[in-house]
Amino acid sequence: MVSHLRALEDLKSALAADQARAALALDTARRRAEAAAGMPADQRGRGVGAEVALARRESPHQGSRLLGLARTLLSDMPHTLAALESGQLNEWRATVIVRETICLSAENRQAVDRELAADTGALEGVGTQGLKNRTRKIALRLEPEAAVARARKAVSERYVSCRPAPDTMAYLTALLPAAEAISAYSALSRHAETQVSAGESHGRGRGQLMADAFVERLTGTPAGSVRVDVQLIMTDRTLLRGESEPAYLPGYGCVPAQYARDLLRGGPGSCGTSRGTTADTRDTGGVWGPLDTPGTVAEAEAEADDKTSGRSRRRSSINGGTSNIVPVPVPVPVPGGDGGGEADDSATRVWLGRLYTAPDTGRLVAMDSRARVFPPGLRRLIAARDATCRTPYCDAPIRHADHIVPWRLTGTTSADGGQGLCESCNYIKEALGWSSQPLPGPRHAIERRTPTGHTYASTAPPLPGTSPPRRTPRPVHSVIDLVLHPAAA
């Protein structure tokens, strides 16, 4: 069995090398065809990384990285490529070598490749960190100025990201210059030690004190009492009847029903902590990120004020009713609360926006518009429906509300004709040879066609309250059987 495992691992590495050759061949053929068609040099090859990603069931970002790996291996690093093909390196370890030499000139990159001599077995038994250190040491010796240029470039790539963690937690991560990161961490650490020394920890550990100080210094308010816009999606049964259907928190994912009710009742710090604080929680039907402009809540308030003052705004009729996707302030009795009654409006205000769905499929019902640009309410509805970028395997946050079929061809703007995309995927779909069209089905679905004629389908994720789909079993054939035992398959 051990020999079989090693043989399969070697096969994976060899297939990765073959994939690199195929990716580069696709890129080369596409660039030649586009050059022959007179396309400017700086526009050639757009979307090839996304095609590689779709074929490999990866995100577009990962597809571009894999295409870059293929270019470097086949043009500058034959020894590393040979080691990958023979199974002495796997794809990730080959990526580490390429990444540590990416800022070098082609000549020095080739020199690193020769000195490492990965295909001779010189790296047998060397761990990934050891491989990274060896490669970096050679690179620094050959081209020390490249490290300085790389450090300067890295400063310009600082950013902040938020990603889900288990148990309704999240990682808020900042990529910073090392000195600034260490300074910020030391300041939080000193604050925690001061709190403990002064006896003001109130039962919180050092890590909890640092986390609370981090939130307080960023928001300017005590941790647990932050005024937030929480775009929480849940069924009325979960909210008002205490049912257990999970809720959905855009930017995070599914959360337990009781957690969602606790969040509405007491704010984000009330779940599983001793902080008895509250928050101004507003559900505007949108998602986190640039798709929700800073004026979203103000616009909702203006619409509510217009309704109160008797001024009318256009609503679209749905089955003879009215589309109420604009939030209005209402007192909400949340099951499971301490008092079992209405939330105290002086402490917590919950803004509810109703999303109409078909009862059997969970498909959102929405308004249409003749405008070319998606109205704010429709943008929020599309973001709530799609959750993340609709490109298959891309989990990036939605940045653009986009027409599936260009508006110039349809002249309409609707939820069914719209999709949420990240910025990169929206630009890629405009490249030559790419097209998209809606697909019929119980939930919103899109078919995306690449320049090679391959098609990929994307179905909107099920919203809370959607019935599980009926699945038809299909015969499954093992790829390993087809490769290793073609006669038996």
Side-chain angles (χ1 to χ4, degrees):
M1 293 302 293
V2 172
S3 298
H4 186 61
L5 286 172
R6 172 56 66 87
L8 292 175
E9 189 64 27
D10 290 347
L11 177 61
K12 285 167 55 181
S13 297
L15 292 174
D18 203 34
Q19 285 180 316
R21 288 193 173 90
L24 186 60
L26 173 65
D27 184 55
T28 302
R30 181 66 48 74
R31 289 175 181 274
R32 285 176 180 169
E34 291 172 346
M39 182 176 290
D42 60 345
Q43 296 182 23
R44 297 171 196 165
R46 281 183 61 194
V48 175
E51 289 186 74
V52 172
L54 287 169
R56 296 194 57 173
R57 299 187 177 96
E58 297 282 3
S59 70
H61 174 77
Q62 179 74 349
S64 296
R65 187 189 66 78
L66 291 168
L67 180 58
L69 172 67
R71 289 195 190 109
T72 304
L73 286 177
L74 274 86
S75 61
D76 295 333
M77 310 194 80
H79 294 281
T80 303
L81 177 62
L84 176 63
E85 196 165 26
S86 64
Q88 296 179 68
L89 289 177
N90 59 28
E91 189 175 40
W92 172 244
R93 287 159 63 81
T95 301
V96 168
I97 295 175
V98 169
R99 189 175 62 184
E100 293 300 323
T101 61
I102 201 65
C103 287
L104 302 181
S105 64
E107 181 181 356
N108 284 330
R109 193 180 300 117
Q110 293 164 7
V112 172
D113 184 55
R114 287 192 299 271
E115 187 167 340
L116 283 175
D119 56 332
T120 65
L123 299 177
E124 187 69 29
V126 178
T128 301
Q129 187 61 43
L131 176 64
K132 183 188 300 182
N133 291 337
R134 287 194 190 189
T135 308
R136 186 177 297 172
K137 183 178 180 180
I138 300 171
L140 289 174
R141 186 182 74 243
L142 292 175
E143 200 172 323
E145 63 274 13
V148 177
R150 185 172 177 173
R152 288 173 178 167
K153 181 176 182 294
V155 172
S156 68
E157 296 174 345
R158 60 194 182 277
Y159 69 92
V160 176
S161 64
C162 184
R163 58 190 177 90
D167 304 321
T168 68
M169 303 291 281
Y171 298 103
L172 180 60
T173 305
L175 180 65
L176 302 169
E180 295 180 10
I182 292 170
S183 176
Y185 185 86
S186 298
L188 293 173
S189 180
R190 287 194 301 269
H191 171 81
E193 291 167 359
T194 300
Q195 293 286 92
V196 172
S197 300
E200 298 177 356
S201 63
H202 304 295
R204 292 174 291 173
R206 183 171 176 272
Q208 291 173 304
L209 289 167
M210 292 176 66
D212 290 349
F214 178 73
V215 173
E216 290 167 5
R217 294 182 183 190
L218 281 178
T219 63
T221 56
S225 61
V226 182
R227 174 175 173 171
V228 292
D229 293 339
V230 178
Q231 319 301 341
L232 187 63
I233 302 174
M234 60 199 304
T235 66
D236 53 355
R237 300 180 300 278
T238 296
L239 174 62
L240 302 175
R241 299 180 188 172
E243 293 191 3
S244 59
E245 172 76 25
Y248 184 81
L249 188 62
Y252 180 85
C254 290
V255 297
Q258 187 58 52
Y259 174 87
R261 290 190 288 268
D262 289 344
L263 190 64
L264 289 175
R265 185 176 64 249
S270 67
C271 305
T273 71
S274 60
R275 299 197 295 260
T277 52
T278 58
D280 178 10
T281 307
R282 302 184 182 204
D283 178 1
T284 62
V287 296
W288 299 343
L291 188 62
D292 272 337
T293 63
T296 296
V297 173
E299 292 165 5
E301 290 172 342
E303 295 236 22
D305 290 342
D306 286 352
K307 185 175 181 179
T308 302
S309 62
R311 289 176 292 183
S312 63
R313 288 177 180 259
R314 180 181 177 184
R315 297 282 193 271
S316 61
S317 176
I318 301 178
N319 297 331
T322 301
S323 171
N324 269 324
I325 61 170
V326 177
V328 293
V330 293
V332 180
V334 181
D338 295 335
E342 294 185 350
D344 181 4
D345 190 61
S346 64
T348 303
R349 288 184 297 167
V350 179
W351 288 55
L352 296 180
R354 285 177 285 180
L355 298 176
Y356 290 96
T357 61
D360 52 344
T361 64
R363 189 185 185 103
L364 277 175
V365 182
M367 60 184 179
D368 293 342
S369 171
R370 301 296 297 181
R372 183 180 185 277
V373 178
F374 286 85
L378 190 51
R379 285 158 50 95
R380 291 193 294 268
L381 186 142
I382 290 173
R385 179 196 67 199
D386 293 348
T388 59
C389 176
R390 284 297 295 275
T391 298
Y393 314 113
C394 182
D395 294 324
I398 293 172
R399 294 289 183 260
H400 295 167
D402 175 68
H403 294 84
I404 300 171
V405 179
W407 181 85
R408 65 180 181 275
L409 301 178
T410 64
T412 61
T413 298
S414 66
D416 285 345
Q419 61 180 337
L421 292 176
C422 68
E423 185 174 0
S424 175
C425 288
N426 193 20
Y427 295 147
I428 287 172
K429 72 176 281 289
E430 299 300 326
L432 185 66
W434 289 77
S435 63
S436 301
Q437 65 177 3
L439 289 176
R443 288 206 309 273
H444 189 261
I446 304 166
E447 180 185 77
R448 186 158 286 116
R449 183 178 294 272
T450 69
T452 58
H454 291 82
T455 58
Y456 302 88
S458 168
T459 303
L463 289 171
T466 304
S467 301
R470 296 179 180 178
R471 301 190 182 276
T472 303
R474 296 184 299 174
V476 177
H477 299 287
S478 169
V479 175
I480 296 298
D481 287 340
L482 293 174
V483 173
L484 298 182
H485 313 290

